């Protein structure tokens, strides 16, 4: 009799604990921020590890610049090169920033050739999931310093870093272990000229020496989650645009959630020196129904 009551009480206790634990788990399950966490998202194909900015050492020579977005009353900190003269940048009528600020909150911004993160930070202050790719250690340090400084100054939400998915890699037409990217020497700076093609470096002034960095190459189709809509793909890769778009055929072939905007830079001299033909990318994108407009050295392609 007493044994059966004890078992009964024990059983009730187990049920109660179970309910409590379930409740605690539910209270602690982040909903929106975990949506796209590389470690947890079931559709995320982790072929290379994302960079965790918290583990990247701070930039020893930061040149913090406030980037203001008056339209949305926000600002971000960008860590420019030490020789840069910028103190404050006001983003008023830049088309690309405007397009990022106008993106749907549930869509993904892909920043290929992120450099020091001017566009990446625009995605982060807009609180949209932002995948940023850059091959250079210098750029990764600058991006992370800007992100951490923006967080420290309270300019983005505390969970702001959860929406950043940063990769040190070259984006191309296939995924492979190692490619060599060439950049100007440290004294020359101007790392935005880094390229897979040595000949394209030094338009106005040639650096004295070139430095190589070895990094993985990924194609976007291998790393972008299949079930997230892509709002915008920005490509700034010094002549390597054609391989990048060839590696995103899967995204372009989507019947829904395809990139609404593909915005890329194409400079005649650099594209030609890289061995590609001007207009190849545009013709390719038009084949998928995009309408492209040239604005200086940028081409903005839109598909409704
Ligand atoms: C800010 O708003 C103005 C007026 O609507 C618009 O012309 C401009 O492009 C916007 N800029 C950005 C960065 O959103
Ligand atoms: C990628 O492009 C290179 C040349 O640019 C070519 O040799 C290679 O076969 C291409 N890879 C794929 C998977 O198409
Ligand atoms: C890439 O190169 C580095 C250094 O040269 C080497 O340590 C690493 O094993 C290589 N990785 C692959 C996947 O080939």
């Amino acid at each position: 009799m007493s044994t059966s009551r004890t078992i009964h009480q024990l059983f009730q206790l187990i049920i109660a604990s179970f309910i409590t634990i379930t409740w605690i788990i539910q209270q602690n399950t982040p909903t929106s921020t975990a949506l796209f966490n590389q470690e947890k998202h079931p559709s995320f194909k982790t072929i290379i590890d994302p960079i965790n900015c918290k583990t990247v050492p701070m930039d020893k020579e930061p040149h913090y610049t406030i980037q203001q977005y008056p339209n949305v009353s926000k600002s971000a900190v960008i860590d420019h090169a030490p020789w840069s003269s910028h103190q404050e940048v006001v983003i008023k009528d830049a088309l690309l920033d405007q397009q990022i600020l106008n993106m749907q909150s549930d869509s993904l911004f892909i920043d290929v050739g992120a450099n020091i993160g001017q566009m990446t930070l625009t995605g982060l202050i807009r609180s949209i999931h932002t995948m940023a790719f850059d091959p250079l250690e210098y750029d990764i340090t600058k991006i992370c310093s800007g992100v951490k400084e923006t967080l420290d100054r309270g300019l983005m939400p505390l969970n702001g870093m959860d929406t950043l998915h940063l990769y040190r890699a070259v984006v191309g037409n296939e995924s492979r272990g190692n490619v060599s990217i060439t950049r100007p020497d440290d004294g020359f700076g101007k790392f935005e000229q880094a390229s897979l093609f040595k000949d394209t470096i030094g338009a106005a002034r040639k650096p004295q020496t070139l430095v190589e960095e070895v990094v993985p190459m990924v194609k976007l189709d291998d790393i972008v989650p299949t079930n997230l809509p892509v709002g915008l793909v920005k490509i700034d890769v010094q002549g390597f645009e054609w391989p990048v778009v060839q590696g995103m055929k899967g995204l372009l072939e989507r019947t829904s959630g395809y990139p609404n905007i593909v915005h890329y830079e194409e400079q005649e001299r650099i594209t030609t020196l890289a061995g590609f033909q001007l207009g190849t990318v545009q013709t390719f994108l038009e084949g998928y129904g995009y309408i492209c407009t040239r604005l200086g050295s940028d081409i903005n392609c839109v598909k409704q």
Side-chain angles (χ1 to χ4, degrees):
M1 193 65 178
S2 71
T3 313
S4 121
R5 183 182 287 163
T6 311
I7 288 174
H8 183 73
Q9 281 171 343
L10 187 65
F11 187 68
Q12 279 184 328
L13 187 70
I14 290 170
I15 295 285
S17 313
F18 179 74
I19 290 168
T20 310
I21 289 167
T22 310
W23 181 81
I24 290 170
I25 290 172
Q26 277 168 354
Q27 296 307 302
N28 288 323
T29 303
T31 47
S32 58
T33 54
L35 175 73
F36 185 99
N37 186 324
Q38 288 94 328
E39 294 74 33
K40 294 179 195 134
H41 200 283
S43 80
F44 204 93
K45 303 175 209 165
T46 315
I47 58 162
I48 48 171
D49 290 331
I51 302 277
N52 177 358
C53 278
K54 286 176 195 151
T55 66
V56 174
M58 281 308 266
D59 185 9
K60 289 193 193 75
E61 238 187 315
H63 182 88
Y64 294 130
T65 301
I66 295 280
Q67 188 155 290
Q68 289 186 338
Y69 308 84
N71 284 21
V72 291
S73 307
K74 288 197 171 167
S75 27
V77 182
I78 311 289
D79 183 11
H80 278 261
W83 41 261
S84 157
S85 60
H86 295 301
Q87 295 297 335
E88 199 176 272
V89 178
V90 181
I91 307 288
K92 275 205 205 108
D93 47 15
L95 175 69
L96 189 50
D97 289 276
Q98 188 194 357
Q99 287 171 328
I100 297 166
L101 296 175
N102 287 339
M103 278 173 61
Q104 305 273 328
S105 349
D106 66 342
S107 63
L108 179 62
F109 166 41
I110 303 175
D111 189 355
V112 180
N115 195 255
I116 56 174
Q118 293 106 314
M119 293 301 153
T120 300
L121 262 301
T122 306
L124 296 183
I125 63 114
R126 171 69 189 81
S127 297
I128 43 178
H129 284 290
T130 300
M131 292 181 90
F133 299 88
D134 200 281
L136 302 186
E137 190 174 16
Y138 177 88
D139 289 348
I140 297 292
T141 304
K142 289 273 172 197
I143 293 170
C144 286
S145 288
V147 170
K148 285 184 282 191
E149 193 65 20
T150 302
L151 259 179
D152 286 352
R153 296 193 195 182
L155 298 172
M156 67 183 183
L158 283 177
N159 61 6
M161 229 190 264
D162 294 354
T163 57
L164 171 65
H165 313 280
L166 175 63
Y167 298 90
R168 184 175 172 204
V170 161
V171 176
N173 64 334
E174 57 190 2
S175 298
R176 22 190 185 113
N178 271 338
V179 292
S180 171
I181 178 132
T182 306
R183 63 164 173 85
D185 57 90
D186 287 359
F188 188 84
K190 292 266 179 198
F191 288 175
E192 74 271 19
Q193 295 182 14
S195 175
L196 262 72
F197 311 102
K198 296 187 182 80
D199 292 348
T200 64
I201 299 175
R205 186 167 62 95
K206 282 263 177 216
Q208 285 197 323
T209 46
L210 298 173
V211 177
E212 286 190 11
E213 292 188 32
V214 176
V215 292
M217 179 190 275
V218 289
K219 63 174 192 170
L220 289 180
D221 282 343
D222 283 345
I223 194 161
V224 176
T226 50
N227 60 351
L228 287 183
V230 179
L232 196 152
V233 183
K234 181 219 96 176
I235 305 165
D236 181 0
V237 289
Q238 303 299 306
F240 207 61
E241 304 84 33
W242 176 229
V244 174
V245 293
Q246 281 179 295
M248 56 182 269
K249 280 188 192 133
L251 294 182
L252 298 170
E253 283 165 3
R254 287 184 180 186
T255 50
S256 67
Y258 50 77
N260 295 120
I261 299 167
V262 180
H263 188 114
Y264 63 99
E265 189 185 64
E266 186 183 68
Q267 297 185 52
E268 179 168 7
R269 185 189 157 276
I270 291 177
T271 302
T272 311
L273 280 175
F276 300 112
Q277 279 190 316
L278 224 59
T280 309
V281 172
Q282 185 172 336
T283 307
F284 181 73
L285 291 173
E286 284 167 351
Y288 286 96
Y290 286 83
I291 311 275
C292 299
T293 313
R294 182 178 268 278
L295 311 143
S297 58
D298 282 7
I299 299 184
N300 192 63
C301 299
V302 179
K303 183 173 172 178
Q304 290 312 327

